PDB file of all heavy atoms in Angstrom:
ATOM      1  N   GLU B  25     126.571 112.485  54.014  1.00 94.00           N
ATOM      2  CA  GLU B  25     125.352 111.658  53.993  1.00 94.00           C
ATOM      3  C   GLU B  25     125.227 110.772  55.239  1.00 94.00           C
ATOM      4  O   GLU B  25     124.138 110.248  55.511  1.00 94.00           O
ATOM      5  CB  GLU B  25     125.284 110.789  52.720  1.00 94.00           C
ATOM      6  CG  GLU B  25     126.378 109.762  52.588  1.00 94.00           C
ATOM      7  CD  GLU B  25     127.556 110.255  51.758  1.00 94.00           C
ATOM      8  OE1 GLU B  25     127.726 111.487  51.634  1.00 94.00           O
ATOM      9  OE2 GLU B  25     128.318 109.414  51.263  1.00 94.00           O
ATOM     10  N   THR B  26     126.309 110.616  55.990  1.00 93.00           N
ATOM     11  CA  THR B  26     126.217 109.818  57.217  1.00 93.00           C
ATOM     12  C   THR B  26     125.780 110.658  58.419  1.00 93.00           C
ATOM     13  O   THR B  26     125.509 110.119  59.487  1.00 93.00           O
ATOM     14  CB  THR B  26     127.568 109.145  57.570  1.00 93.00           C
ATOM     15  OG1 THR B  26     128.514 110.168  57.866  1.00 93.00           O
ATOM     16  CG2 THR B  26     128.069 108.284  56.426  1.00 93.00           C
ATOM     17  N   VAL B  27     125.747 111.981  58.241  1.00 95.00           N
ATOM     18  CA  VAL B  27     125.454 112.875  59.370  1.00 95.00           C
ATOM     19  C   VAL B  27     124.032 113.392  59.261  1.00 95.00           C
ATOM     20  O   VAL B  27     123.601 113.817  58.192  1.00 95.00           O
ATOM     21  CB  VAL B  27     126.441 114.064  59.386  1.00 95.00           C
ATOM     22  CG1 VAL B  27     126.092 115.038  60.496  1.00 95.00           C
ATOM     23  CG2 VAL B  27     127.868 113.553  59.552  1.00 95.00           C
ATOM     24  N   SER B  28     123.305 113.341  60.365  1.00 90.00           N
ATOM     25  CA  SER B  28     121.926 113.831  60.299  1.00 90.00           C
ATOM     26  C   SER B  28     121.754 115.194  60.965  1.00 90.00           C
ATOM     27  O   SER B  28     120.909 115.968  60.572  1.00 90.00           O
ATOM     28  CB  SER B  28     120.957 112.809  60.895  1.00 90.00           C
ATOM     29  OG  SER B  28     121.256 112.567  62.230  1.00 90.00           O
ATOM     30  N   GLU B  29     122.512 115.486  61.998  1.00 87.00           N
ATOM     31  CA  GLU B  29     122.368 116.796  62.647  1.00 87.00           C
ATOM     32  C   GLU B  29     123.506 117.044  63.625  1.00 87.00           C
ATOM     33  O   GLU B  29     124.249 116.129  63.991  1.00 87.00           O
ATOM     34  CB  GLU B  29     121.029 116.887  63.390  1.00 87.00           C
ATOM     35  CG  GLU B  29     120.882 115.869  64.498  1.00 87.00           C
ATOM     36  CD  GLU B  29     119.521 115.929  65.192  1.00 87.00           C
ATOM     37  OE1 GLU B  29     119.195 116.977  65.761  1.00 87.00           O
ATOM     38  OE2 GLU B  29     118.812 114.913  65.158  1.00 87.00           O
ATOM     39  N   LEU B  30     123.612 118.283  64.029  1.00 85.00           N
ATOM     40  CA  LEU B  30     124.538 118.649  65.111  1.00 85.00           C
ATOM     41  C   LEU B  30     123.686 118.987  66.315  1.00 85.00           C
ATOM     42  O   LEU B  30     122.777 119.817  66.231  1.00 85.00           O
ATOM     43  CB  LEU B  30     125.386 119.863  64.706  1.00 85.00           C
ATOM     44  CG  LEU B  30     126.357 120.369  65.771  1.00 85.00           C
ATOM     45  CD1 LEU B  30     127.443 119.349  66.061  1.00 85.00           C
ATOM     46  CD2 LEU B  30     126.988 121.684  65.342  1.00 85.00           C
ATOM     47  N   ALA B  31     123.947 118.310  67.408  1.00 83.00           N
ATOM     48  CA  ALA B  31     123.108 118.511  68.591  1.00 83.00           C
ATOM     49  C   ALA B  31     123.805 119.425  69.584  1.00 83.00           C
ATOM     50  O   ALA B  31     125.037 119.436  69.681  1.00 83.00           O
ATOM     51  CB  ALA B  31     122.814 117.163  69.243  1.00 83.00           C
ATOM     52  N   ILE B  32     123.002 120.159  70.304  1.00 78.00           N
ATOM     53  CA  ILE B  32     123.557 121.029  71.342  1.00 78.00           C
ATOM     54  C   ILE B  32     124.046 120.168  72.508  1.00 78.00           C
ATOM     55  O   ILE B  32     123.668 119.000  72.620  1.00 78.00           O
ATOM     56  CB  ILE B  32     122.507 122.039  71.838  1.00 78.00           C
ATOM     57  CG1 ILE B  32     121.269 121.279  72.336  1.00 78.00           C
ATOM     58  CG2 ILE B  32     122.134 123.019  70.749  1.00 78.00           C
ATOM     59  CD1 ILE B  32     120.299 122.162  73.061  1.00 78.00           C
ATOM     60  N   PRO B  33     124.876 120.735  73.371  1.00 77.00           N
ATOM     61  CA  PRO B  33     125.336 119.943  74.508  1.00 77.00           C
ATOM     62  C   PRO B  33     124.164 119.356  75.275  1.00 77.00           C
ATOM     63  O   PRO B  33     123.139 120.014  75.457  1.00 77.00           O
ATOM     64  CB  PRO B  33     126.098 120.961  75.360  1.00 77.00           C
ATOM     65  CG  PRO B  33     126.533 121.991  74.393  1.00 77.00           C
ATOM     66  CD  PRO B  33     125.460 122.074  73.354  1.00 77.00           C
ATOM     67  N   ASP B  34     124.308 118.148  75.684  1.00 80.00           N
ATOM     68  CA  ASP B  34     123.224 117.453  76.360  1.00 80.00           C
ATOM     69  C   ASP B  34     123.821 116.655  77.508  1.00 80.00           C
ATOM     70  O   ASP B  34     125.037 116.536  77.615  1.00 80.00           O
ATOM     71  CB  ASP B  34     122.530 116.513  75.355  1.00 80.00           C
ATOM     72  CG  ASP B  34     121.069 116.325  75.702  1.00 80.00           C
ATOM     73  OD1 ASP B  34     120.735 116.465  76.887  1.00 80.00           O
ATOM     74  OD2 ASP B  34     120.276 116.039  74.788  1.00 80.00           O
ATOM     75  N   ARG B  35     122.954 116.121  78.333  1.00 89.00           N
ATOM     76  CA  ARG B  35     123.452 115.398  79.508  1.00 89.00           C
ATOM     77  C   ARG B  35     123.845 113.972  79.129  1.00 89.00           C
ATOM     78  O   ARG B  35     122.985 113.158  78.761  1.00 89.00           O
ATOM     79  CB  ARG B  35     122.384 115.377  80.598  1.00 89.00           C
ATOM     80  CG  ARG B  35     122.872 114.692  81.883  1.00 89.00           C
ATOM     81  CD  ARG B  35     121.986 115.066  83.047  1.00 89.00           C
ATOM     82  NE  ARG B  35     120.666 114.477  82.950  1.00 89.00           N
ATOM     83  CZ  ARG B  35     120.255 113.433  83.681  1.00 89.00           C
ATOM     84  NH1 ARG B  35     121.077 112.869  84.544  1.00 89.00           N
ATOM     85  NH2 ARG B  35     119.032 112.970  83.554  1.00 89.00           N
ATOM     86  N   LEU B  36     125.136 113.709  79.212  1.00 92.00           N
ATOM     87  CA  LEU B  36     125.627 112.362  78.956  1.00 92.00           C
ATOM     88  C   LEU B  36     125.293 111.486  80.159  1.00 92.00           C
ATOM     89  O   LEU B  36     125.592 111.843  81.292  1.00 92.00           O
ATOM     90  CB  LEU B  36     127.144 112.387  78.735  1.00 92.00           C
ATOM     91  CG  LEU B  36     127.810 111.035  78.532  1.00 92.00           C
ATOM     92  CD1 LEU B  36     127.387 110.418  77.200  1.00 92.00           C
ATOM     93  CD2 LEU B  36     129.330 111.178  78.569  1.00 92.00           C
ATOM     94  N   GLN B  37     124.665 110.360  79.895  1.00 96.00           N
ATOM     95  CA  GLN B  37     124.325 109.439  80.981  1.00 96.00           C
ATOM     96  C   GLN B  37     125.112 108.152  80.793  1.00 96.00           C
ATOM     97  O   GLN B  37     125.253 107.666  79.673  1.00 96.00           O
ATOM     98  CB  GLN B  37     122.828 109.158  80.985  1.00 96.00           C
ATOM     99  CG  GLN B  37     122.014 110.429  81.115  1.00 96.00           C
ATOM    100  CD  GLN B  37     120.613 110.162  81.623  1.00 96.00           C
ATOM    101  OE1 GLN B  37     120.409 109.412  82.576  1.00 96.00           O
ATOM    102  NE2 GLN B  37     119.642 110.764  80.983  1.00 96.00           N
ATOM    103  N   GLN B  38     125.602 107.627  81.893  1.00 96.00           N
ATOM    104  CA  GLN B  38     126.494 106.475  81.805  1.00 96.00           C
ATOM    105  C   GLN B  38     126.007 105.312  82.651  1.00 96.00           C
ATOM    106  O   GLN B  38     125.320 105.505  83.662  1.00 96.00           O
ATOM    107  CB  GLN B  38     127.905 106.881  82.237  1.00 96.00           C
ATOM    108  CG  GLN B  38     128.501 107.925  81.298  1.00 96.00           C
ATOM    109  CD  GLN B  38     129.850 108.419  81.762  1.00 96.00           C
ATOM    110  OE1 GLN B  38     129.997 108.901  82.872  1.00 96.00           O
ATOM    111  NE2 GLN B  38     130.839 108.296  80.903  1.00 96.00           N
ATOM    112  N   PHE B  39     126.363 104.132  82.227  1.00 98.00           N
ATOM    113  CA  PHE B  39     126.115 102.915  83.001  1.00 98.00           C
ATOM    114  C   PHE B  39     127.238 101.942  82.657  1.00 98.00           C
ATOM    115  O   PHE B  39     127.915 102.108  81.641  1.00 98.00           O
ATOM    116  CB  PHE B  39     124.727 102.333  82.691  1.00 98.00           C
ATOM    117  CG  PHE B  39     124.447 102.171  81.214  1.00 98.00           C
ATOM    118  CD1 PHE B  39     124.959 101.109  80.498  1.00 98.00           C
ATOM    119  CD2 PHE B  39     123.681 103.105  80.549  1.00 98.00           C
ATOM    120  CE1 PHE B  39     124.708 100.971  79.143  1.00 98.00           C
ATOM    121  CE2 PHE B  39     123.429 102.979  79.186  1.00 98.00           C
ATOM    122  CZ  PHE B  39     123.939 101.907  78.489  1.00 98.00           C
ATOM    123  N   PRO B  40     127.460 100.931  83.480  1.00 98.00           N
ATOM    124  CA  PRO B  40     128.576 100.024  83.215  1.00 98.00           C
ATOM    125  C   PRO B  40     128.402  99.278  81.891  1.00 98.00           C
ATOM    126  O   PRO B  40     127.305  98.834  81.547  1.00 98.00           O
ATOM    127  CB  PRO B  40     128.525  99.044  84.394  1.00 98.00           C
ATOM    128  CG  PRO B  40     127.833  99.793  85.472  1.00 98.00           C
ATOM    129  CD  PRO B  40     126.817 100.650  84.782  1.00 98.00           C
ATOM    130  N   HIS B  41     129.469  99.163  81.155  1.00 97.00           N
ATOM    131  CA  HIS B  41     129.473  98.399  79.901  1.00 97.00           C
ATOM    132  C   HIS B  41     130.913  98.078  79.544  1.00 97.00           C
ATOM    133  O   HIS B  41     131.853  98.553  80.201  1.00 97.00           O
ATOM    134  CB  HIS B  41     128.791  99.189  78.776  1.00 97.00           C
ATOM    135  CG  HIS B  41     129.523 100.429  78.383  1.00 97.00           C
ATOM    136  ND1 HIS B  41     130.603 100.418  77.538  1.00 97.00           N
ATOM    137  CD2 HIS B  41     129.346 101.727  78.747  1.00 97.00           C
ATOM    138  CE1 HIS B  41     131.057 101.639  77.391  1.00 97.00           C
ATOM    139  NE2 HIS B  41     130.314 102.454  78.125  1.00 97.00           N
TER     140      HIS B  41
END
Side-chain angles (χ1 to χ4, degrees):
Chain B
E25 64 265 22
T26 65
V27 176
S28 61
E29 62 182 299
L30 178 66
I32 56 170
D34 209 334
R35 183 162 70 105
L36 177 68
Q37 303 201 46
Q38 296 176 304
F39 50 79
H41 66 81

